[in-house]
């Protein structure tokens, strides 16, 4: 067998109750996947984000929100740096821009910004509105947030209102909606969940999709204003239409 680079993977799973194996790290050597470590007693750790020597985890709690940060610098042991309740509900995603951690709340339709070092809440917004699907779009459902490649904007996907919000990263004021173009509206019922803005990655991904899966993927072009100039972006919204009848 050819020599294979060893990878370290992190996984989270729904637990229903506090569980010590909700989040685990794994080693993969090309042949065998071996579990290494477990991370604390967490409830429904729905999203994990390794970043440097830290691991950020959000807990998907129906009527609340909790975020944990673990140290992973020591390969043998892990330690909780902080584990805090934050504003929001039903967290399902997190992303980092600089020293800020932004967590998305599906159930509450919320976006919460934390200091990535201390866990202190720095930003909070609850979104309003609804979409055309009365079963799954009865209110705002923030599903994810991603920074633009230059880190000057934060794009926020709202499944509930069929909108992709655009926030500006202002050094003095902090995070604020772009006054020139606060959001991009996708077609009714599409429910954007996750996104990326790389043209090359999109074309590569598109080339590898089977015809059957293409029916579940919506590709759209839009003109997005970035700092006074316009940039053509291809946005990929992946969602399973046939299963959820969106």
């Amino acid at each position: 067998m050819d020599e294979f680079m060893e990878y370290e993977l992190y996984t989270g799973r729904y637990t229903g109750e506090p569980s010590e194996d909700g989040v685990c790290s794994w080693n993969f050597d090309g042949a065998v996947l071996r579990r290494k470590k477990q991370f604390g007693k967490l409830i429904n750790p729905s999203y994990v984000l390794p970043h440097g020597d830290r691991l950020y985890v959000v807990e998907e709690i129906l009527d609340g929100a909790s975020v944990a940060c673990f140290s992973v610098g020591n390969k043998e042991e892990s330690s909780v740096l902080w584990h805090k309740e934050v504003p929001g509900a039903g967290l399902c995603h997190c992303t980092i821009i600089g020293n800020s951690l932004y967590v998305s709340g599906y159930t509450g339709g919320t976006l919460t910004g934390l200091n990535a070092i201390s866990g202190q809440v720095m930003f909070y917004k609850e979104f309003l509105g609804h979409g055309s699907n009365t079963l799954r779009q009865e209110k705002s459902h923030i599903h994810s947030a991603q920074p633009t490649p230059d880190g000057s904007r934060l794009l926020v996907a709202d499944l509930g209102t069929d909108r992709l919000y655009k926030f500006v990263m202002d050094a003095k004021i902090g995070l604020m909606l772009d006054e020139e173009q606060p959001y991009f509206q996708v077609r009714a019922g599409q429910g954007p969940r996750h996104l990326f803005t790389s043209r090359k990655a999109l074309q590569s991904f598109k080339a590898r999709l089977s015809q059957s899966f293409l029916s579940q993927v919506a590709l759209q072009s839009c003109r997005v204003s970035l700092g006074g100039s316009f940039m053509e972006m291809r946005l990929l919204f992946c969602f399973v239409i046939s299963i959820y009848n969106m």
Side-chain angles (χ1 to χ4, degrees):
M1 181 178 177
D2 295 334
E3 184 176 351
F4 192 90
M5 182 182 295
E6 188 172 284
Y7 291 91
E8 185 169 9
L9 309 176
Y10 295 90
T11 60
R13 70 178 182 88
Y14 288 104
T15 61
E17 58 185 21
S19 175
E20 293 185 353
D21 65 349
V23 175
C24 298
S25 65
W26 308 75
N27 273 355
F28 181 59
D29 61 7
V32 180
L33 187 65
R34 298 180 176 87
R35 187 166 69 178
K36 282 187 58 181
K37 294 182 291 186
Q38 300 177 167
F39 294 84
K41 285 190 174 182
L42 301 173
I43 304 174
N44 297 336
S46 60
Y47 197 89
V48 297
L49 176 65
H51 184 78
D53 61 354
R54 294 187 173 213
L55 178 69
Y56 296 94
V57 182
V58 300
E59 294 177 281
E60 190 168 329
I61 305 169
L62 184 61
D63 297 320
S66 182
V67 183
C69 176
F70 296 88
S71 171
V72 294
N74 188 323
K75 296 298 182 180
E76 301 301 325
E77 299 179 358
S78 63
S79 59
V80 181
L81 298 178
W82 48 264
H83 186 188
K84 298 184 177 183
E85 292 185 0
V86 300
L91 302 184
C92 60
H93 184 267
C94 62
T95 191
I96 280 188
I97 306 178
N99 290 325
S100 298
L101 177 74
Y102 291 96
V103 298
S104 302
Y106 177 88
T107 305
T110 59
L111 181 70
T112 306
L114 312 174
N115 182 297
I117 305 300
S118 65
Q120 180 182 355
V121 175
M122 310 294 290
F123 173 87
Y124 176 73
K125 181 174 178 60
E126 183 174 346
F127 295 78
L128 303 176
H130 60 84
S132 60
N133 187 313
T134 57
L135 294 178
R136 296 181 59 80
Q137 295 184 305
E138 80 290 354
K139 59 173 293 186
S140 170
H141 292 300
I142 301 302
H143 209 287
S144 68
Q146 290 292 349
T148 54
D150 64 359
S152 65
R153 303 289 193 276
L154 182 68
L155 304 178
V156 180
D158 188 346
L159 180 151
T161 63
D162 292 317
R163 288 179 176 179
L164 179 66
Y165 289 97
K166 188 176 67 169
F167 286 85
V168 179
M169 307 295 297
D170 187 281
K172 295 182 179 180
I173 302 176
L175 198 66
M176 56 183 293
L177 273 174
D178 191 321
E179 294 182 355
E180 182 180 353
Q181 186 184 24
Y183 63 84
F184 169 66
Q185 189 80 44
V186 306
R187 286 195 294 269
Q190 288 193 336
R193 288 168 167 81
H194 292 272
L195 60 117
F196 64 89
T197 58
S198 169
R199 292 187 188 128
K200 290 183 179 179
L202 174 61
Q203 295 304 322
S204 174
F205 182 73
K206 182 180 178 182
R208 287 164 173 76
L209 290 175
S210 66
Q211 189 62 37
S212 61
F213 187 66
L214 274 172
S215 65
Q216 302 176 25
V217 176
L219 298 175
Q220 293 201 8
S221 294
C222 65
R223 285 171 61 81
V224 179
S225 172
L226 298 177
S229 61
F230 283 92
M231 172 182 176
E232 282 288 335
M233 294 198 306
R234 291 281 286 172
L235 301 177
L236 173 66
F237 301 101
C238 295
F239 47 93
V240 184
I241 302 172
S242 58
I243 293 179
Y244 295 112
N245 297 317
M246 287 290 291

